Amino acid sequence: MSKVKYHYDSETLSYRKIERKRGKTVKYGFIFLLAAAIFGFLFVFLASQYVESPRERALKHELSNLQLQYELINKRVENAFLALESVEERDNSIYRLYFEANPIPEEQRRAGFGGVNRYKKYEGYDNSKLIIESNKRIDKLQKAIVVQSRSLDEIAVLAADKEKFLSAIPAIQPVRNRDLKYMASGYGYRTDPFTKVRKFHFGMDFTAPRGTPIYASGDGVILRADSNSSGYGKHIRIDHGYGYISLYAHMYEYKVRANQTVKRGDLIGFVGSTGRSEAPHLHYEVWKDGDRINPINFYYGNLSAEEYARLLEKASLENQSLD
C-alpha cells in the first residue's frame, strides 16, 4: 500500500491531503527506468571489459590452442625443409653429377608464386600474419617437393639408361683366359703374315684351338652372322647401341643368327681359321661411331689388374699378326 502524504495548512489550521498529479508520476517513472537502463548498460559494459564470460574463456583457449598448433606446424615445416635441403644437396652434387645431368639451380627450386594474391582470403583476422606465413611456407615446401620428385624421376630414367649402357659396352674379353694359348697380336702397326708388309692391325688376335667358345662382350643385337665380308671369313657383328659395334672374325661355327638379341657372356660361336687367316684364332674388333678403336680399353669386366697388365704388355709388342 502506497504511503499517503499530507500538507499542513497554517491558515485553516488543518491537514490537507497531497494529491500527486498523473503527469508527474509518469515522468518520475520514466526517469527511474531510464536511470536503471543506463546503470544496467554501464554495468554490462564494464563487466564485459574486465570479466570474461564462459564463452569468451572457451574461445580464448581455442585461439591459444590454434596458435600453438600453427607454431608446431611451422616447426615441422622447418624440419621438413631441412630434410629436403639434404636430399637436394645430394641430388645436385652426387646423383645428377654422376648421371651427367645439370644441377637444378636454387632459384628454380625456391621460385615463388606470381600473379594474384593467393592468400587474400586469410586477411582481416587477428592472426592473419601467422596464418598467411604458415600457408606460404607449406606452399613453398610442396613446390620444392614437386621439383625434387621430378628430379628423382629423371634420375631414375638416367640410372636405368646408365645400367643399360654399362651392360651394353663390350667390356669383357671374348675368349676366356683358360682357353687361350696366347694373345698373338694387338692393335696397331703389325707385320702382315702374307705380304710381310708393315700395316695397321685394327683389332686383337687371340690364339686358341679350333672350336674354343667365343662369348658376346656386351648386350646387343646381332647385326651380321655371315662370311660375306672380305678377309673376315665367318664372322659376327653385334650392335651394342650407343655407337658401339663389336666384330668376331675367322670363326668356325655360329651359335646365333642375325637380329637375335644377346647378353654379355652369351655363347655366340667357336674359334676357327676361315677367311684370310694363318692359324686358328679370333680376330676381335671394337667400333665406336664408325671408327675402329683399341679393344684393350674394354676388358675391365672379367680381367684382374694383374691379368690386364700382362695383356697390355703383350698387346704393345709389335709382332706379326695372324690375319
Side-chain angles (χ1 to χ4, degrees):
M1 183 176 179
S2 59
K3 295 181 179 180
V4 179
K5 294 183 179 181
Y6 294 90
H7 172 70
Y8 177 74
D9 190 347
S10 57
E11 293 181 358
T12 61
L13 303 176
S14 61
Y15 288 94
R16 182 167 54 86
K17 185 178 180 181
I18 299 175
E19 299 287 347
R20 179 177 293 178
K21 295 182 179 179
R22 184 175 180 83
K24 285 187 177 183
T25 301
V26 173
K27 179 180 178 181
Y28 291 147
F30 176 77
I31 291 173
F32 173 78
L33 292 174
L34 180 61
I38 293 173
F39 176 78
F41 174 78
L42 291 173
F43 177 80
V44 171
F45 175 76
L46 293 174
S48 66
Q49 296 297 314
Y50 300 101
V51 180
E52 292 181 346
S53 68
R55 177 172 175 76
E56 286 177 329
R57 284 196 296 270
L59 290 174
K60 188 175 181 179
H61 177 73
E62 184 178 353
L63 179 60
S64 177
N65 184 55
L66 287 175
Q67 288 176 328
L68 177 61
Q69 292 300 320
Y70 270 112
E71 290 173 1
L72 292 175
I73 289 173
N74 280 331
K75 186 66 176 177
R76 294 175 65 181
V77 170
E78 182 179 348
N79 291 335
F81 262 119
L82 292 175
L84 181 61
E85 286 172 0
S86 176
V87 175
E88 290 172 344
E89 181 178 358
R90 293 198 300 271
D91 183 44
N92 273 349
S93 60
I94 299 177
Y95 309 143
R96 301 186 69 83
L97 186 63
Y98 177 77
F99 293 109
E100 300 176 354
N102 292 327
I104 299 176
E106 184 69 13
E107 55 268 21
Q108 182 177 340
R109 291 185 182 274
R110 298 289 181 264
F113 299 90
V116 298
N117 183 2
R118 298 164 55 90
Y119 312 103
K120 189 174 182 62
K121 60 184 176 181
Y122 302 121
E123 295 176 353
Y125 299 98
D126 293 338
N127 295 282
S128 290
K129 185 176 180 180
L130 177 63
I131 297 171
I132 290 173
E133 287 302 316
S134 297
N135 278 275
K136 281 183 178 179
R137 290 176 62 81
I138 292 173
D139 286 344
K140 288 181 180 178
L141 177 62
Q142 288 177 335
K143 181 169 183 179
I145 290 173
V146 169
V147 172
Q148 183 58 52
S149 177
R150 290 175 180 171
S151 176
L152 292 178
D153 288 342
E154 181 184 355
I155 292 299
V157 173
L158 292 172
D161 192 58
K162 192 84 168 183
E163 183 177 359
K164 182 180 177 182
F165 169 71
L166 293 175
S167 298
I169 292 176
I172 66 170
Q173 189 172 279
V175 180
R176 293 172 180 169
N177 271 343
R178 69 186 185 205
D179 296 329
L180 290 175
K181 286 186 176 180
Y182 57 91
M183 204 284 295
S185 181
Y187 180 91
Y189 281 99
R190 301 291 184 267
T191 301
D192 186 283
F194 298 100
T195 65
K196 306 305 179 182
V197 175
R198 185 172 178 267
K199 69 176 187 178
F200 203 92
H201 186 245
F202 287 99
M204 296 185 72
D205 292 342
F206 296 96
T207 300
R210 177 180 172 182
T212 298
I214 299 171
Y215 303 96
S217 56
D219 297 358
V221 177
I222 304 297
L223 275 180
R224 295 177 60 174
D226 57 50
S227 57
N228 298 327
S229 187
S230 177
Y232 287 130
K234 289 184 176 180
H235 76 291
I236 289 173
R237 302 187 194 198
I238 301 177
D239 184 358
H240 302 279
Y242 307 97
Y244 288 98
I245 292 176
S246 58
L247 181 148
Y248 314 77
H250 310 304
M251 299 175 67
Y252 164 68
E253 183 183 353
Y254 310 120
K255 293 297 290 185
V256 292
R257 62 185 182 279
N259 299 319
Q260 179 179 337
T261 299
V262 293
K263 294 289 186 182
R264 177 182 293 152
D266 284 354
L267 177 66
I268 60 173
F270 302 95
V271 171
S273 188
T274 58
R276 191 175 185 273
S277 172
E278 189 179 57
H281 74 287
L282 170 67
H283 174 81
Y284 176 67
E285 295 180 4
V286 174
W287 297 57
K288 178 67 169 73
D289 297 327
D291 295 323
R292 287 177 284 189
I293 58 178
N294 195 344
I296 195 70
N297 299 317
F298 294 87
Y299 296 142
Y300 60 83
N302 65 342
L303 295 182
S304 66
E306 294 78 10
E307 290 173 331
Y308 182 77
R310 288 196 297 270
L311 182 64
L312 186 61
E313 181 181 359
K314 292 178 181 178
S316 63
L317 298 176
E318 189 172 331
N319 53 11
Q320 179 176 291
S321 66
L322 294 177
D323 46 34

CSV table of all heavy atoms in Angstrom, one decimal, residues 192-221:
chain,number,residue,atom,x,y,z
A,192,ASP,N,102.2,-58.0,-91.7
A,192,ASP,CA,101.2,-58.9,-92.4
A,192,ASP,C,101.8,-60.2,-92.6
A,192,ASP,O,102.9,-60.4,-93.1
A,192,ASP,CB,100.7,-58.2,-93.7
A,192,ASP,CG,99.6,-59.0,-94.3
A,192,ASP,OD1,99.8,-60.1,-94.9
A,192,ASP,OD2,98.4,-58.5,-94.3
A,193,PRO,N,101.1,-61.3,-92.2
A,193,PRO,CA,101.6,-62.7,-92.3
A,193,PRO,C,101.8,-63.1,-93.7
A,193,PRO,O,102.5,-64.1,-94.0
A,193,PRO,CB,100.6,-63.5,-91.5
A,193,PRO,CG,99.4,-62.8,-91.6
A,193,PRO,CD,99.7,-61.3,-91.6
A,194,PHE,N,101.0,-62.5,-94.6
A,194,PHE,CA,101.0,-63.0,-96.0
A,194,PHE,C,102.0,-62.1,-96.9
A,194,PHE,O,102.8,-62.7,-97.7
A,194,PHE,CB,99.6,-63.0,-96.6
A,194,PHE,CG,98.7,-63.9,-95.9
A,194,PHE,CD1,97.8,-63.4,-94.9
A,194,PHE,CD2,98.7,-65.2,-96.1
A,194,PHE,CE1,96.9,-64.2,-94.3
A,194,PHE,CE2,97.8,-66.1,-95.5
A,194,PHE,CZ,96.9,-65.6,-94.5
A,195,THR,N,101.9,-60.8,-96.7
A,195,THR,CA,102.7,-59.9,-97.6
A,195,THR,C,104.0,-59.5,-96.9
A,195,THR,O,104.9,-59.0,-97.5
A,195,THR,CB,101.9,-58.7,-97.9
A,195,THR,OG1,101.7,-57.9,-96.7
A,195,THR,CG2,100.6,-59.0,-98.6
A,196,LYS,N,104.1,-59.7,-95.6
A,196,LYS,CA,105.2,-59.3,-94.8
A,196,LYS,C,105.5,-57.8,-94.8
A,196,LYS,O,106.5,-57.3,-94.5
A,196,LYS,CB,106.5,-60.0,-95.2
A,196,LYS,CG,106.4,-61.5,-95.3
A,196,LYS,CD,106.0,-62.1,-93.9
A,196,LYS,CE,105.9,-63.7,-94.0
A,196,LYS,NZ,105.5,-64.2,-92.7
A,197,VAL,N,104.4,-57.1,-95.1
A,197,VAL,CA,104.4,-55.6,-95.1
A,197,VAL,C,103.9,-55.1,-93.8
A,197,VAL,O,102.9,-55.6,-93.3
A,197,VAL,CB,103.6,-55.1,-96.3
A,197,VAL,CG1,103.5,-53.6,-96.2
A,197,VAL,CG2,104.2,-55.5,-97.6
A,198,ARG,N,104.5,-54.1,-93.3
A,198,ARG,CA,104.0,-53.5,-92.0
A,198,ARG,C,102.8,-52.6,-92.3
A,198,ARG,O,102.8,-51.7,-93.1
A,198,ARG,CB,105.1,-52.6,-91.4
A,198,ARG,CG,104.8,-52.0,-90.1
A,198,ARG,CD,106.1,-51.3,-89.5
A,198,ARG,NE,105.8,-50.7,-88.2
A,198,ARG,CZ,105.5,-49.4,-88.1
A,198,ARG,NH1,105.3,-48.6,-89.1
A,198,ARG,NH2,105.3,-48.9,-86.9
A,199,LYS,N,101.7,-53.0,-91.7
A,199,LYS,CA,100.4,-52.2,-91.8
A,199,LYS,C,99.7,-52.2,-90.5
A,199,LYS,O,100.0,-52.9,-89.6
A,199,LYS,CB,99.6,-52.8,-93.0
A,199,LYS,CG,99.0,-54.2,-92.7
A,199,LYS,CD,98.1,-54.6,-93.8
A,199,LYS,CE,97.4,-55.9,-93.5
A,199,LYS,NZ,96.4,-56.3,-94.6
A,200,PHE,N,98.6,-51.4,-90.5
A,200,PHE,CA,97.9,-51.2,-89.3
A,200,PHE,C,96.9,-52.3,-89.0
A,200,PHE,O,96.2,-52.7,-89.9
A,200,PHE,CB,97.1,-49.9,-89.3
A,200,PHE,CG,96.8,-49.3,-87.9
A,200,PHE,CD1,97.6,-48.5,-87.3
A,200,PHE,CD2,95.6,-49.8,-87.2
A,200,PHE,CE1,97.4,-48.0,-86.0
A,200,PHE,CE2,95.4,-49.3,-86.0
A,200,PHE,CZ,96.2,-48.4,-85.3
A,201,HIS,N,97.0,-52.9,-87.8
A,201,HIS,CA,96.1,-54.0,-87.4
A,201,HIS,C,95.0,-53.4,-86.5
A,201,HIS,O,95.3,-52.9,-85.4
A,201,HIS,CB,96.9,-55.1,-86.7
A,201,HIS,CG,96.1,-56.3,-86.4
A,201,HIS,ND1,95.9,-56.7,-85.1
A,201,HIS,CD2,95.6,-57.3,-87.2
A,201,HIS,CE1,95.2,-57.8,-85.1
A,201,HIS,NE2,95.0,-58.2,-86.4
A,202,PHE,N,93.7,-53.5,-87.0
A,202,PHE,CA,92.6,-52.8,-86.3
A,202,PHE,C,91.9,-53.6,-85.2
A,202,PHE,O,90.9,-53.2,-84.8
A,202,PHE,CB,91.6,-52.3,-87.3
A,202,PHE,CG,92.1,-51.2,-88.2
A,202,PHE,CD1,92.6,-51.4,-89.4
A,202,PHE,CD2,92.0,-49.9,-87.7
A,202,PHE,CE1,93.0,-50.3,-90.2
A,202,PHE,CE2,92.5,-48.8,-88.5
A,202,PHE,CZ,92.9,-49.1,-89.7
A,203,GLY,N,92.5,-54.7,-84.8
A,203,GLY,CA,91.9,-55.5,-83.7
A,203,GLY,C,92.9,-56.2,-82.9
A,203,GLY,O,94.1,-55.8,-82.8
A,204,MET,N,92.4,-57.2,-82.2
A,204,MET,CA,93.3,-58.1,-81.4
A,204,MET,C,93.1,-59.5,-81.8
A,204,MET,O,92.0,-60.0,-82.0
A,204,MET,CB,93.0,-57.9,-79.9
A,204,MET,CG,93.3,-56.5,-79.4
A,204,MET,SD,93.0,-56.4,-77.6
A,204,MET,CE,94.5,-57.3,-77.0
A,205,ASP,N,94.2,-60.3,-81.9
A,205,ASP,CA,94.2,-61.7,-82.2
A,205,ASP,C,94.4,-62.6,-81.0
A,205,ASP,O,95.4,-62.4,-80.3
A,205,ASP,CB,95.2,-62.0,-83.3
A,205,ASP,CG,94.9,-61.3,-84.6
A,205,ASP,OD1,93.8,-60.9,-84.8
A,205,ASP,OD2,95.9,-61.2,-85.5
A,206,PHE,N,93.4,-63.4,-80.7
A,206,PHE,CA,93.5,-64.3,-79.6
A,206,PHE,C,93.7,-65.8,-80.2
A,206,PHE,O,92.8,-66.3,-80.8
A,206,PHE,CB,92.3,-64.3,-78.7
A,206,PHE,CG,92.1,-63.0,-78.0
A,206,PHE,CD1,91.2,-62.0,-78.6
A,206,PHE,CD2,92.7,-62.7,-76.9
A,206,PHE,CE1,91.0,-60.8,-78.0
A,206,PHE,CE2,92.5,-61.4,-76.2
A,206,PHE,CZ,91.7,-60.5,-76.8
A,207,THR,N,94.9,-66.4,-79.9
A,207,THR,CA,95.1,-67.7,-80.4
A,207,THR,C,94.5,-68.7,-79.5
A,207,THR,O,94.7,-68.7,-78.3
A,207,THR,CB,96.6,-68.0,-80.5
A,207,THR,OG1,97.2,-67.0,-81.4
A,207,THR,CG2,96.9,-69.4,-81.0
A,208,ALA,N,93.7,-69.6,-80.1
A,208,ALA,CA,93.0,-70.7,-79.3
A,208,ALA,C,92.7,-71.8,-80.3
A,208,ALA,O,92.7,-71.7,-81.5
A,208,ALA,CB,91.8,-70.2,-78.7
A,209,PRO,N,92.6,-73.0,-79.7
A,209,PRO,CA,92.3,-74.2,-80.6
A,209,PRO,C,91.0,-74.0,-81.3
A,209,PRO,O,90.0,-73.3,-80.8
A,209,PRO,CB,92.2,-75.4,-79.6
A,209,PRO,CG,93.0,-74.9,-78.4
A,209,PRO,CD,92.7,-73.4,-78.3
A,210,ARG,N,90.8,-74.6,-82.4
A,210,ARG,CA,89.6,-74.6,-83.2
A,210,ARG,C,88.5,-75.2,-82.3
A,210,ARG,O,88.7,-76.2,-81.6
A,210,ARG,CB,89.7,-75.5,-84.5
A,210,ARG,CG,88.5,-75.6,-85.3
A,210,ARG,CD,88.7,-76.4,-86.5
A,210,ARG,NE,87.5,-76.7,-87.2
A,210,ARG,CZ,87.3,-77.4,-88.3
A,210,ARG,NH1,88.4,-78.0,-88.8
A,210,ARG,NH2,86.2,-77.6,-88.9
A,211,GLY,N,87.3,-74.5,-82.3
A,211,GLY,CA,86.2,-75.0,-81.5
A,211,GLY,C,86.1,-74.3,-80.1
A,211,GLY,O,85.2,-74.6,-79.3
A,212,THR,N,87.1,-73.5,-79.8
A,212,THR,CA,87.1,-72.8,-78.5
A,212,THR,C,85.9,-71.8,-78.5
A,212,THR,O,85.7,-71.1,-79.4
A,212,THR,CB,88.4,-72.0,-78.3
A,212,THR,OG1,89.5,-72.9,-78.3
A,212,THR,CG2,88.3,-71.2,-77.0
A,213,PRO,N,85.1,-71.8,-77.4
A,213,PRO,CA,83.9,-70.9,-77.3
A,213,PRO,C,84.3,-69.4,-77.4
A,213,PRO,O,85.3,-69.0,-76.9
A,213,PRO,CB,83.3,-71.2,-75.9
A,213,PRO,CG,83.8,-72.6,-75.6
A,213,PRO,CD,85.2,-72.6,-76.2
A,214,ILE,N,83.4,-68.7,-78.1
A,214,ILE,CA,83.5,-67.3,-78.2
A,214,ILE,C,82.3,-66.7,-77.6
A,214,ILE,O,81.2,-67.1,-77.8
A,214,ILE,CB,83.7,-66.8,-79.6
A,214,ILE,CG1,84.9,-67.4,-80.3
A,214,ILE,CG2,83.7,-65.3,-79.7
A,214,ILE,CD1,85.0,-67.1,-81.8
A,215,TYR,N,82.4,-65.6,-76.7
A,215,TYR,CA,81.3,-65.0,-76.0
A,215,TYR,C,81.1,-63.6,-76.4
A,215,TYR,O,82.0,-62.9,-76.7
A,215,TYR,CB,81.6,-65.1,-74.5
A,215,TYR,CG,81.8,-66.6,-74.0
A,215,TYR,CD1,83.1,-67.0,-73.9
A,215,TYR,CD2,80.8,-67.4,-73.7
A,215,TYR,CE1,83.4,-68.3,-73.4
A,215,TYR,CE2,81.0,-68.7,-73.3
A,215,TYR,CZ,82.3,-69.2,-73.2
A,215,TYR,OH,82.5,-70.5,-72.8
A,216,ALA,N,79.8,-63.2,-76.3
A,216,ALA,CA,79.5,-61.8,-76.6
A,216,ALA,C,80.1,-60.9,-75.5
A,216,ALA,O,80.0,-61.2,-74.3
A,216,ALA,CB,78.0,-61.6,-76.6
A,217,SER,N,80.7,-59.8,-75.9
A,217,SER,CA,81.4,-59.0,-75.0
A,217,SER,C,80.5,-57.9,-74.3
A,217,SER,O,80.9,-57.2,-73.4
A,217,SER,CB,82.6,-58.3,-75.6
A,217,SER,OG,82.2,-57.6,-76.7
A,218,GLY,N,79.2,-57.8,-74.8
A,218,GLY,CA,78.3,-56.9,-74.2
A,218,GLY,C,76.9,-57.2,-74.8
A,218,GLY,O,76.7,-57.9,-75.7
A,219,ASP,N,75.9,-56.7,-74.1
A,219,ASP,CA,74.5,-56.8,-74.6
A,219,ASP,C,74.3,-56.2,-75.9
A,219,ASP,O,74.9,-55.1,-76.2
A,219,ASP,CB,73.5,-56.2,-73.6
A,219,ASP,CG,73.5,-56.8,-72.2
A,219,ASP,OD1,74.3,-57.8,-72.0
A,219,ASP,OD2,72.8,-56.4,-71.3
A,220,GLY,N,73.5,-56.8,-76.8
A,220,GLY,CA,73.3,-56.1,-78.1
A,220,GLY,C,72.4,-57.0,-79.0
A,220,GLY,O,71.8,-58.0,-78.5
A,221,VAL,N,72.4,-56.6,-80.2
A,221,VAL,CA,71.6,-57.3,-81.3
A,221,VAL,C,72.6,-57.7,-82.4
A,221,VAL,O,73.5,-57.0,-82.8
A,221,VAL,CB,70.5,-56.4,-81.9
A,221,VAL,CG1,69.8,-57.1,-83.0
A,221,VAL,CG2,69.6,-56.0,-80.8
